[in-house]
Amino acid sequence: LNLLYDEDDKILVSDVDGTLTRSDIPGLYNNVLGTNYLHEGYAELLQKMDAQGYNIVWLTMRSLPLYSMSKQYITTHTNVEGPLFMEPE
């Protein structure tokens, strides 16, 4: 993260499956379908943190070929931008 942010930047790190989404496998399945399967109120919380100047960083153990689909799902359903770090395979 040192390459992305300064030491004074506020950072919030969030997992995707089971944290952003309500569970792991159904979270991925609903991602494929494009269905909102987020924990209730989580997107609003992230939007408030973003508005307060926090940089949101996403983590997932999904494999790299799912990057574009995962990134689009996160952005669409949270309206929050941030880097997505994935399992490199």
Side-chain angles (χ1 to χ4, degrees):
L1 293 176
N2 289 355
L3 299 175
L4 296 175
Y5 302 107
D6 293 326
E7 64 182 46
D8 295 333
D9 289 340
K10 297 186 282 186
I11 299 170
L12 185 142
V13 178
S14 178
D15 181 40
V16 176
D17 297 308
T19 304
L20 174 65
T21 63
R22 289 183 262 161
S23 66
D24 292 348
I25 301 302
L28 178 58
Y29 179 72
N30 281 278
N31 188 164
V32 171
L33 297 176
T35 308
N36 184 338
Y37 193 69
L38 308 184
H39 282 287
E40 187 175 328
Y42 199 69
E44 292 80 8
L45 171 65
L46 293 170
Q47 291 165 6
K48 288 178 183 177
M49 299 299 287
D50 183 55
Q52 292 179 19
Y54 282 83
N55 297 286
I56 312 300
V57 176
W58 303 99
L59 302 176
T60 185
M61 287 301 291
R62 294 179 184 186
S63 63
L64 203 49
L66 298 175
Y67 178 84
S68 295
M69 178 186 69
S70 300
K71 181 73 171 160
Q72 180 179 4
Y73 183 81
I74 292 167
T75 303
T76 299
H77 293 289
T78 66
N79 295 315
V80 175
E81 290 287 339
L84 173 62
F85 292 94
M86 304 186 77
E87 173 64 25
E89 289 191 313

